[in-house]
Amino acid sequence: MEAQPELPSTEVDTEMEVEDDQIPPSNSKDPPPILRLDQSVVNRIAAGEVIQRPVSAVKELVENSLDAGSTSISVVVKDGGLKLIQVSDDGHGIRKEDMSILCERHTTSKLSKFEDLQSIKSMGFRGEALASMTYVGHVTVTTITKGQLHGYRATYRDGVMEDEPKACAAVKGTQIMIENLFYNMAARRKTLQNSADDYPKIVDLISRFAIHHTDVSFSCRKHGAARADVHSVATPSRLDAIRSVYGVSVARNLVKIDASDNDPSNSVFEMDGFISNANYIAKKITMVLFINDRLVDCGALKRAIERGIDDVLLVSLSDACGKVSLLNQEIIIEKIQSVVELKLRSSNESRIFQEQTMDPSSSSPLATSQDSQKDPSKSGIKSQKTPVHKMIRTDSLDPAGRLHAYLQIKPSNNPERSSCLTSVRSSIRQRRNPKETADLTSIQELINEFDSTCHSGLLDTIRHCTYIGMADDVFALLQHNTNLYLANVINLSKELMYQQVLTRFAHFNAIQLSEPAPLSELLMLALKEEDVAAEDNENDDLKEKIADMNTSLLKQKAEMLEEYFSIYIDSNGNLSRLPVILDQYTPDMDHVPEFVLCLGNDIDWEDEKNCFQSISAALANFYAMHTPLLPNPSGDGSQFYKKGKSSSSIDGQGNSSKTTGNDTTEDEYENDLLSEAENAWAQREWSIQHVLFPSLRLFFKPPNAMATNGTFVQVASLEKLYRIFERC
Ligand code: ADP
Ligand code: MG
């Protein structure tokens, strides 16, 4: 959701368009003259930052209405907000004498001296929002205060009121109208017009406000539409508010959660909210989070909750936090995460109970409910994150941010029903053979191994470091306190994947391949690859034999691979599903052949513990964030993509760009390759920043060895660097 920046920054073009003709012609050798920007341009640039898009204007206006003590707020939108945004409230209104400075920058009624900052309760206090709107749109304010017989209306442009306020009829409160937003920012307007319109975002925003501010009634509709798309009525019950906004089926499946801490050395917070139980199946997680009454996004908390419960809809996580500081964010997240897990686990047990009473083959519902309650404790598997019914389920995960063409996440049809069936099936199997899932001490032992060899210093560094960027293809640069570190992302990701496979053991969601891939072909590919290295291309017959043997071996092991690792091999010997090891991450499919060969050749199938250990290691190696096969186009690899390059380009000359003969098609081919490479590298870097490091922070237990084997190297201490600079 927060993957891509919402809007490419277009300010520069916009302002250039306006100012182009003012820049005097210059001799290209001389430095260009430095000009003072016109104040109106400065204001417009600043305004464009406060009001990024229509939905941000709506958010500011609604917050103002809430600050004005309104009990009813209605929003009307035309053309995604570009033509018209109108917010009407029944709040305390604005005095006539304040109307003239209302839209100047830094005018606010909410703060008058610096000390007020500490006690401020309102949503806004910088006095920038309304002013900003007048620089990028046409603003009309109609308002009436208590006890007046009529109201006043005024229009504003570029921070100033255009005329004296005119008397007009008005109902209680304030109505603010923004017309022609970004009329003077051509590039931004164009970008917004080309992308999907903001109306759905506005509906989403108002829905979120509606379930948090339950004492206010909200409505939101398109201009001219008879029906509102959000319509909430003030109610003392949050659940009622959720029902009226998100519907009965969402509200019916919610569980209440509360978490708090009151240990000043640890964290001080209080939260309360609702989370949907396993009966609710959603395509993606919706999280509505208010911290100290402000609507915010918290990626880290979302990921922590998403872990292992991929199709839960978290509806309202509103809080009554005292002091939420970013410093103890991790502690707070951990607390909330464990409360959520506990709640869901208990609510899921009751779900299994209900289903089994529907199953005609089950003997006694009571007995089964006991079974399912006993299991988690008996199993000895430390973190049973996902309920039993999800063991063999395929699910569609939000495909946003994935690039590989080989992979298309197919939404499973009718997920509700199929998951019911598998749930019933798997619990039946469990009863028939309780040993299967209950007695896996081998997994517990493997988990203990990395738990107990954890390096506490590194753990602290990883938990609290800041990711700065990639220093080269393999090492990331991190800062912790005043120290800088280089960390090998391939090693780190491999180890993290290994630990996650064991932690999520038997509870994976699945990635569905867009087309089942025949094992025999994958194995042949991998065997040939090995031979290219060994320069031996003769023995195709032998290879086919090896491929056949391995295929039938893996077909025999299919049931176990599916049940414990979500690696799905069908009866025709096709690979069609792989496990989700980290949410939001799919492995590089170029490594599938190698992985399958590794499953065929390197697994010890005899000894249970070795078997699980070696399969986990094979998965970890496959899912690790290796460098893409195509060389990095922004580094040394750029030579590789020079046009006219043939097989000889490896000679490193790369200056054959003047070749003219068979040009165009080859040109395009190179461009395709180049953009494929750019995509692969950008995708990897995105995953490193947004998936790998946040997950490392939350879940990783760094093994002792990592402190000394070059995975983690301290490169500098800023204190020493400062001292050096001081001397210069
Ligand atoms: P801020 O909210 O940071 O104070 P704004 O530019 O959003 O700055 O608003 C400026 C001022 O205009 C507010 O401080 C408030 O006094 C007044 N105001 C804005 N909207 C409303 C409204 N809907 N009802 C009453 N007063 C309003
Ligand atoms: Mg405001």
PDB file of all heavy atoms in Angstrom, residues 387-405:
ATOM      1  N   PRO A 387      -3.885 -20.314  12.055  1.00  0.00           N
ATOM      2  CA  PRO A 387      -4.754 -21.403  12.473  1.00  0.00           C
ATOM      3  C   PRO A 387      -4.646 -22.608  11.545  1.00  0.00           C
ATOM      4  O   PRO A 387      -4.261 -22.474  10.382  1.00  0.00           O
ATOM      5  CB  PRO A 387      -6.140 -20.786  12.397  1.00  0.00           C
ATOM      6  CG  PRO A 387      -5.987 -19.601  11.508  1.00  0.00           C
ATOM      7  CD  PRO A 387      -4.606 -19.121  11.687  1.00  0.00           C
ATOM      8  N   VAL A 388      -4.995 -23.724  12.110  1.00  0.00           N
ATOM      9  CA  VAL A 388      -4.870 -24.987  11.393  1.00  0.00           C
ATOM     10  C   VAL A 388      -5.527 -24.944  10.015  1.00  0.00           C
ATOM     11  O   VAL A 388      -5.010 -25.478   9.049  1.00  0.00           O
ATOM     12  CB  VAL A 388      -5.537 -26.093  12.234  1.00  0.00           C
ATOM     13  CG1 VAL A 388      -5.491 -27.415  11.513  1.00  0.00           C
ATOM     14  CG2 VAL A 388      -4.844 -26.187  13.569  1.00  0.00           C
ATOM     15  N   HIS A 389      -6.664 -24.254   9.928  1.00  0.00           N
ATOM     16  CA  HIS A 389      -7.396 -24.327   8.672  1.00  0.00           C
ATOM     17  C   HIS A 389      -6.663 -23.667   7.524  1.00  0.00           C
ATOM     18  O   HIS A 389      -7.047 -23.781   6.394  1.00  0.00           O
ATOM     19  CB  HIS A 389      -8.778 -23.688   8.828  1.00  0.00           C
ATOM     20  CG  HIS A 389      -8.729 -22.192   8.846  1.00  0.00           C
ATOM     21  ND1 HIS A 389      -8.310 -21.492   9.929  1.00  0.00           N
ATOM     22  CD2 HIS A 389      -9.011 -21.288   7.882  1.00  0.00           C
ATOM     23  CE1 HIS A 389      -8.355 -20.201   9.646  1.00  0.00           C
ATOM     24  NE2 HIS A 389      -8.773 -20.052   8.419  1.00  0.00           N
ATOM     25  N   LYS A 390      -5.612 -22.988   7.809  1.00  0.00           N
ATOM     26  CA  LYS A 390      -4.921 -22.317   6.713  1.00  0.00           C
ATOM     27  C   LYS A 390      -3.744 -23.115   6.184  1.00  0.00           C
ATOM     28  O   LYS A 390      -3.018 -22.677   5.315  1.00  0.00           O
ATOM     29  CB  LYS A 390      -4.419 -20.951   7.182  1.00  0.00           C
ATOM     30  CG  LYS A 390      -5.535 -19.976   7.389  1.00  0.00           C
ATOM     31  CD  LYS A 390      -4.988 -18.610   7.632  1.00  0.00           C
ATOM     32  CE  LYS A 390      -6.119 -17.636   7.861  1.00  0.00           C
ATOM     33  NZ  LYS A 390      -5.607 -16.347   8.260  1.00  0.00           N
ATOM     34  N   MET A 391      -3.585 -24.292   6.743  1.00  0.00           N
ATOM     35  CA  MET A 391      -2.372 -25.024   6.411  1.00  0.00           C
ATOM     36  C   MET A 391      -2.194 -25.278   4.930  1.00  0.00           C
ATOM     37  O   MET A 391      -1.110 -25.211   4.412  1.00  0.00           O
ATOM     38  CB  MET A 391      -2.358 -26.349   7.154  1.00  0.00           C
ATOM     39  CG  MET A 391      -1.972 -26.156   8.589  1.00  0.00           C
ATOM     40  SD  MET A 391      -2.289 -27.602   9.566  1.00  0.00           S
ATOM     41  CE  MET A 391      -1.417 -28.829   8.674  1.00  0.00           C
ATOM     42  N   ILE A 392      -3.257 -25.586   4.227  1.00  0.00           N
ATOM     43  CA  ILE A 392      -3.082 -25.972   2.840  1.00  0.00           C
ATOM     44  C   ILE A 392      -3.789 -24.986   1.936  1.00  0.00           C
ATOM     45  O   ILE A 392      -4.154 -25.297   0.839  1.00  0.00           O
ATOM     46  CB  ILE A 392      -3.631 -27.387   2.589  1.00  0.00           C
ATOM     47  CG1 ILE A 392      -3.412 -28.237   3.832  1.00  0.00           C
ATOM     48  CG2 ILE A 392      -2.931 -28.013   1.419  1.00  0.00           C
ATOM     49  CD1 ILE A 392      -3.880 -29.630   3.688  1.00  0.00           C
ATOM     50  N   ARG A 393      -3.985 -23.801   2.439  1.00  0.00           N
ATOM     51  CA  ARG A 393      -4.771 -22.878   1.638  1.00  0.00           C
ATOM     52  C   ARG A 393      -3.910 -22.060   0.709  1.00  0.00           C
ATOM     53  O   ARG A 393      -2.828 -21.632   1.053  1.00  0.00           O
ATOM     54  CB  ARG A 393      -5.524 -21.951   2.580  1.00  0.00           C
ATOM     55  CG  ARG A 393      -6.855 -21.556   2.056  1.00  0.00           C
ATOM     56  CD  ARG A 393      -7.296 -20.301   2.713  1.00  0.00           C
ATOM     57  NE  ARG A 393      -6.339 -19.268   2.409  1.00  0.00           N
ATOM     58  CZ  ARG A 393      -5.809 -18.508   3.316  1.00  0.00           C
ATOM     59  NH1 ARG A 393      -6.094 -18.671   4.565  1.00  0.00           N
ATOM     60  NH2 ARG A 393      -4.964 -17.575   2.977  1.00  0.00           N
ATOM     61  N   THR A 394      -4.439 -21.848  -0.476  1.00  0.00           N
ATOM     62  CA  THR A 394      -3.783 -20.915  -1.378  1.00  0.00           C
ATOM     63  C   THR A 394      -4.500 -19.603  -1.216  1.00  0.00           C
ATOM     64  O   THR A 394      -5.702 -19.565  -1.124  1.00  0.00           O
ATOM     65  CB  THR A 394      -4.036 -21.282  -2.843  1.00  0.00           C
ATOM     66  OG1 THR A 394      -4.287 -22.639  -2.887  1.00  0.00           O
ATOM     67  CG2 THR A 394      -2.907 -20.855  -3.692  1.00  0.00           C
ATOM     68  N   ASP A 395      -3.764 -18.567  -1.239  1.00  0.00           N
ATOM     69  CA  ASP A 395      -4.456 -17.302  -1.100  1.00  0.00           C
ATOM     70  C   ASP A 395      -3.851 -16.289  -2.052  1.00  0.00           C
ATOM     71  O   ASP A 395      -2.701 -16.348  -2.415  1.00  0.00           O
ATOM     72  CB  ASP A 395      -4.330 -16.807   0.335  1.00  0.00           C
ATOM     73  CG  ASP A 395      -5.310 -15.691   0.592  1.00  0.00           C
ATOM     74  OD1 ASP A 395      -6.304 -15.579  -0.141  1.00  0.00           O
ATOM     75  OD2 ASP A 395      -5.056 -14.924   1.518  1.00  0.00           O
ATOM     76  N   SER A 396      -4.663 -15.355  -2.450  1.00  0.00           N
ATOM     77  CA  SER A 396      -4.140 -14.291  -3.288  1.00  0.00           C
ATOM     78  C   SER A 396      -3.573 -13.251  -2.357  1.00  0.00           C
ATOM     79  O   SER A 396      -4.222 -12.804  -1.433  1.00  0.00           O
ATOM     80  CB  SER A 396      -5.272 -13.684  -4.084  1.00  0.00           C
ATOM     81  OG  SER A 396      -6.227 -13.167  -3.207  1.00  0.00           O
ATOM     82  N   LEU A 397      -2.353 -12.908  -2.604  1.00  0.00           N
ATOM     83  CA  LEU A 397      -1.776 -11.823  -1.825  1.00  0.00           C
ATOM     84  C   LEU A 397      -1.756 -10.615  -2.713  1.00  0.00           C
ATOM     85  O   LEU A 397      -1.744 -10.720  -3.914  1.00  0.00           O
ATOM     86  CB  LEU A 397      -0.352 -12.190  -1.437  1.00  0.00           C
ATOM     87  CG  LEU A 397      -0.319 -13.103  -0.235  1.00  0.00           C
ATOM     88  CD1 LEU A 397       0.889 -13.960  -0.281  1.00  0.00           C
ATOM     89  CD2 LEU A 397      -0.345 -12.261   1.016  1.00  0.00           C
ATOM     90  N   ASP A 398      -1.734  -9.490  -2.123  1.00  0.00           N
ATOM     91  CA  ASP A 398      -1.695  -8.272  -2.906  1.00  0.00           C
ATOM     92  C   ASP A 398      -0.495  -8.303  -3.853  1.00  0.00           C
ATOM     93  O   ASP A 398       0.637  -8.338  -3.419  1.00  0.00           O
ATOM     94  CB  ASP A 398      -1.554  -7.093  -1.938  1.00  0.00           C
ATOM     95  CG  ASP A 398      -1.763  -5.802  -2.670  1.00  0.00           C
ATOM     96  OD1 ASP A 398      -1.963  -5.817  -3.885  1.00  0.00           O
ATOM     97  OD2 ASP A 398      -1.705  -4.771  -1.998  1.00  0.00           O
ATOM     98  N   PRO A 399      -0.745  -8.328  -5.166  1.00  0.00           N
ATOM     99  CA  PRO A 399       0.379  -8.482  -6.061  1.00  0.00           C
ATOM    100  C   PRO A 399       1.161  -7.188  -6.300  1.00  0.00           C
ATOM    101  O   PRO A 399       2.145  -7.205  -7.006  1.00  0.00           O
ATOM    102  CB  PRO A 399      -0.263  -8.958  -7.364  1.00  0.00           C
ATOM    103  CG  PRO A 399      -1.657  -8.454  -7.309  1.00  0.00           C
ATOM    104  CD  PRO A 399      -2.026  -8.279  -5.867  1.00  0.00           C
ATOM    105  N   ALA A 400       0.739  -6.120  -5.673  1.00  0.00           N
ATOM    106  CA  ALA A 400       1.425  -4.858  -5.920  1.00  0.00           C
ATOM    107  C   ALA A 400       2.910  -4.982  -5.652  1.00  0.00           C
ATOM    108  O   ALA A 400       3.325  -5.587  -4.684  1.00  0.00           O
ATOM    109  CB  ALA A 400       0.842  -3.773  -5.026  1.00  0.00           C
ATOM    110  N   GLY A 401       3.686  -4.421  -6.499  1.00  0.00           N
ATOM    111  CA  GLY A 401       5.107  -4.405  -6.242  1.00  0.00           C
ATOM    112  C   GLY A 401       5.844  -5.638  -6.739  1.00  0.00           C
ATOM    113  O   GLY A 401       7.034  -5.759  -6.563  1.00  0.00           O
ATOM    114  N   ARG A 402       5.145  -6.537  -7.360  1.00  0.00           N
ATOM    115  CA  ARG A 402       5.851  -7.688  -7.892  1.00  0.00           C
ATOM    116  C   ARG A 402       6.008  -7.527  -9.384  1.00  0.00           C
ATOM    117  O   ARG A 402       5.125  -7.109 -10.093  1.00  0.00           O
ATOM    118  CB  ARG A 402       5.054  -8.944  -7.647  1.00  0.00           C
ATOM    119  CG  ARG A 402       4.876  -9.159  -6.185  1.00  0.00           C
ATOM    120  CD  ARG A 402       4.921 -10.627  -5.885  1.00  0.00           C
ATOM    121  NE  ARG A 402       4.665 -10.751  -4.473  1.00  0.00           N
ATOM    122  CZ  ARG A 402       3.430 -10.866  -4.016  1.00  0.00           C
ATOM    123  NH1 ARG A 402       2.412 -10.917  -4.838  1.00  0.00           N
ATOM    124  NH2 ARG A 402       3.236 -10.958  -2.739  1.00  0.00           N
ATOM    125  N   LEU A 403       7.138  -7.929  -9.864  1.00  0.00           N
ATOM    126  CA  LEU A 403       7.394  -7.677 -11.264  1.00  0.00           C
ATOM    127  C   LEU A 403       7.505  -8.934 -12.098  1.00  0.00           C
ATOM    128  O   LEU A 403       7.266  -8.938 -13.286  1.00  0.00           O
ATOM    129  CB  LEU A 403       8.697  -6.893 -11.401  1.00  0.00           C
ATOM    130  CG  LEU A 403       8.640  -5.514 -10.774  1.00  0.00           C
ATOM    131  CD1 LEU A 403       9.992  -4.860 -10.874  1.00  0.00           C
ATOM    132  CD2 LEU A 403       7.602  -4.668 -11.482  1.00  0.00           C
ATOM    133  N   HIS A 404       7.882 -10.032 -11.490  1.00  0.00           N
ATOM    134  CA  HIS A 404       8.267 -11.143 -12.339  1.00  0.00           C
ATOM    135  C   HIS A 404       7.102 -11.698 -13.142  1.00  0.00           C
ATOM    136  O   HIS A 404       6.075 -12.060 -12.611  1.00  0.00           O
ATOM    137  CB  HIS A 404       8.891 -12.248 -11.492  1.00  0.00           C
ATOM    138  CG  HIS A 404       9.860 -13.032 -12.304  1.00  0.00           C
ATOM    139  ND1 HIS A 404       9.450 -13.888 -13.285  1.00  0.00           N
ATOM    140  CD2 HIS A 404      11.204 -13.050 -12.302  1.00  0.00           C
ATOM    141  CE1 HIS A 404      10.516 -14.423 -13.842  1.00  0.00           C
ATOM    142  NE2 HIS A 404      11.594 -13.933 -13.268  1.00  0.00           N
ATOM    143  N   ALA A 405       7.323 -11.777 -14.452  1.00  0.00           N
ATOM    144  CA  ALA A 405       6.239 -12.172 -15.346  1.00  0.00           C
ATOM    145  C   ALA A 405       5.813 -13.613 -15.121  1.00  0.00           C
ATOM    146  O   ALA A 405       4.671 -13.984 -15.358  1.00  0.00           O
ATOM    147  CB  ALA A 405       6.692 -11.999 -16.783  1.00  0.00           C
TER     148      ALA A 405
END
